């Protein structure tokens, strides 16, 4: 019989979060970002759950776009990294994928293609990862006209670097740069908004927003948790207690002996570890829960198990399920304790943890 470690996925919560994104997007439409295997939740299941609501999906790369087609979903799929080879443009055309063109090498592939898919242009408004600078757009548009590809251009998009911080002036600078740079082509669609931008008062989201982490209940904002923003947790990571014991005062637990009991302490071992994707750097005092009671981790996370202090849940027994994150313990809380962000935790759950959908 397999262990009962599981990631439970609440698809109703996913849909509620998407609808919140739509509400906050105002007049803009929202393409659901399902890259990185639906942020670790399962790309096919997530995309299917949103099929009645989302008019477009967004992914990073071709293999993710093909996974959506394998799930028999027909909405347009935006490929945020574009194509990685010229031949992939024909695959995009045949399947209704919309690559984002962000570099001159991709422009060359576009010019060489016999038939082209509809596409977007990436504008580098200050993130300085991908895209054409605003002052380069006239030249890019002229090249598209010369190669007969201008009619396939759907619109422009950019990506914010500091939208998670409402006090940063960079989002306003990027918005102004993008708006000014694309102004000569006002008839084309525009997209700027990641999850964080949905929570900026007065921020223009233009025609299409791109909610990602917020769909899965994680916070995109500095200093805020998902529930504080009105988001519902979608994934509950649970694992069983496999033993309990009393650790005597002065004894340690686990590798390195870094945690030492200052009194006799009821301790439990939980069948989950960094081999499952739980963060190794989540140390003592990272929260968890059992039977609705919040408890804490003690000592070092191992590959296959971790230790918890059961002082707040003395009735816990072998076989009881421990919530590592979910409705009682937010994934953002765990991420903070591990020195990371919820994005990494959700996408890092490994394949040996089954997903259970409801």
């Amino acid at each position: 019989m397999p262990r009962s470690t599981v990631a439970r996925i609440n698809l109703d919560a996913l849909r509620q979060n998407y609808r919140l994104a739509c509400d906050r997007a105002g007049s803009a439409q929202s393409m659901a970002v399902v890259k990185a295997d639906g942020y670790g939740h399962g790309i096919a299941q997530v995309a299917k759950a949103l099929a009645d609501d989302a008019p477009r999906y967004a992914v990073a790369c071709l293999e993710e776009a093909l996974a959506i087609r394998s799930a028999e979903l027909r909405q347009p799929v935006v490929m945020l990294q574009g194509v990685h080879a010229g031949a992939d443009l024909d695959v995009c055309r045949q399947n209704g994928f919309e690559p984002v063109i962000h570099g001159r090498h991709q422009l060359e592939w576009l010019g060489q293609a016999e038939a082209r898919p509809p596409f977007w242009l990436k504008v580098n408004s200050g993130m300085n990862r991908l895209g054409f600078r605003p002052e380069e757009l006239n030249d890019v548009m002229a090249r598209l006209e010369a190669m007969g590809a201008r009619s396939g251009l759907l619109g422009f998009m950019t990506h914010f670097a500091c939208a998670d911080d409402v006090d940063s002036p960079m989002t306003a600078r990027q918005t102004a740069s993008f708006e000014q740079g694309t102004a000569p082509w006002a008839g084309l669609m525009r997209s700027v908004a990641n999850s964080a931008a949905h929570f900026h008062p007065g921020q223009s989201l233009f025609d299409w927003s791109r909610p990602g982490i917020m769909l899965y209940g994680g916070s995109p904002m500095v200093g805020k948790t998902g529930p504080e923003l009105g988001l519902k947790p979608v994934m509950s990571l649970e694992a069983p207690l496999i033993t309990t014991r009393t650790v005597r005062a002065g004894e340690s637990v686990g590798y390195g002996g870094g945690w030492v009991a200052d009194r006799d302490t009821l301790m439990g071992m939980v069948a989950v570890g960094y081999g499952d994707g739980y963060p190794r750097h989540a140390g003592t005092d990272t929260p968890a829960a059992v039977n609705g009671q919040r408890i804490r981790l003690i000592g070092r996370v191992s590959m296959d198990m971790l230790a918890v202090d059961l002082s707040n849940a003395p009735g816990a027994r072998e076989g009881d399920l421990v919530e590592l994150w979910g409705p009682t313990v937010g994934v953002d809380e765990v991420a903070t304790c591990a020195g990371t962000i919820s994005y990494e935790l959700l996408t890092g759950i490994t394949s040996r943890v089954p997903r259970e959908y409801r």
Side-chain angles (χ1 to χ4, degrees):
M1 181 177 180
R3 62 182 187 157
S4 50
T5 301
V6 65
R8 303 187 196 278
I9 311 299
N10 185 336
L11 296 175
D12 283 337
L14 174 79
R15 284 186 283 264
Q16 290 181 55
N17 292 338
Y18 176 79
R19 289 164 188 161
L20 177 63
C22 292
D23 289 343
R24 299 196 69 91
S27 61
Q29 297 188 80
S30 297
M31 61 179 80
V33 182
V34 296
K35 62 182 181 175
D37 195 28
Y39 284 59
H41 294 67
I43 187 170
Q45 292 84 354
V46 164
K48 285 180 177 179
L50 297 175
D52 290 339
D53 295 303
R56 258 185 176 90
Y57 299 109
V59 299
C61 51
L62 182 61
E63 53 267 37
E64 294 174 339
L66 289 169
I68 291 177
R69 289 294 178 260
S70 294
E72 300 183 347
L73 299 170
R74 306 315 305 171
Q75 285 95 327
V77 182
V78 178
M79 291 167 44
L80 298 173
Q81 283 186 8
V83 294
H84 294 268
D88 292 341
L89 288 169
D90 189 54
V91 180
C92 292
R93 182 188 61 80
Q94 293 177 25
N95 287 278
F97 303 153
E98 300 171 356
V100 178
I101 304 300
H102 61 77
R104 296 195 176 272
H105 63 295
Q106 293 177 328
L107 280 179
E108 292 177 7
W109 294 338
L110 201 64
Q112 295 164 3
E114 294 183 4
R116 306 179 183 98
F119 61 95
W120 298 72
L121 283 181
K122 184 68 170 283
V123 180
N124 176 17
S125 60
M127 182 71 139
N128 285 315
R129 295 192 310 184
L130 304 174
F132 303 98
R133 295 181 184 275
E135 61 268 24
E136 297 177 298
L137 290 179
N138 279 324
D139 176 61
V140 171
M141 295 298 282
R143 288 190 62 183
L144 292 176
E145 289 282 2
M147 66 176 68
R150 169 65 177 78
S151 62
L153 177 60
L154 297 169
F156 304 92
M157 64 174 57
T158 195
H159 196 60
F160 291 140
C162 299
D164 58 339
D165 181 1
V166 293
D167 295 324
S168 172
M170 190 167 184
T171 302
R173 290 200 301 267
Q174 285 191 260
T175 301
S177 174
F178 177 80
E179 190 165 26
Q180 293 165 12
T182 59
W185 305 281
L188 296 174
M189 296 187 292
R190 292 180 288 181
S191 174
V192 301
N194 55 6
S195 288
H198 290 74
F199 297 95
H200 273 245
Q203 172 63 45
S204 175
L205 304 192
F206 295 95
D207 301 296
W208 284 90
S209 75
R210 306 190 304 272
I213 188 64
M214 69 179 296
L215 300 184
Y216 310 96
S219 172
M221 306 303 292
V222 171
K224 294 286 186 179
T225 66
E228 288 173 338
L229 297 173
L231 301 169
K232 305 293 185 183
V234 176
M235 179 190 290
S236 295
L237 180 63
E238 299 176 0
L241 282 171
I242 54 175
T243 191
T244 62
R245 69 177 66 237
T246 297
V247 179
R248 296 172 180 169
E251 292 181 336
S252 63
V253 172
Y255 288 118
W259 179 85
V260 178
D262 58 5
R263 55 183 172 79
D264 289 359
T265 302
L266 181 62
M267 180 272 294
M269 295 305 301
V270 186
V272 71
Y274 62 79
D276 302 291
Y278 191 86
R280 183 176 181 272
H281 297 294
T284 295
D285 293 330
T286 298
V290 62
N291 300 329
Q293 297 294 315
R294 287 173 68 97
I295 55 176
R296 64 175 186 142
L297 271 63
I298 51 177
R300 188 181 297 177
V301 175
S302 303
M303 182 180 290
D304 309 305
M305 65 186 99
L306 54 80
V308 291
D309 179 352
L310 294 174
S311 299
N312 288 345
R317 296 291 182 268
E318 290 85 354
D320 288 349
L321 286 177
V322 174
E323 177 191 307
L324 287 311
W325 62 69
T328 306
V329 175
V331 66
D332 298 304
E333 291 184 74
V334 178
T336 297
C337 291
T340 185
I341 54 178
S342 58
Y343 305 67
E344 183 178 17
L345 299 192
L346 295 174
T347 61
I349 297 302
T350 66
S351 59
R352 82 171 179 177
V353 178
R355 274 66 166 173
E356 179 183 288
Y357 297 90
R358 59 187 181 188

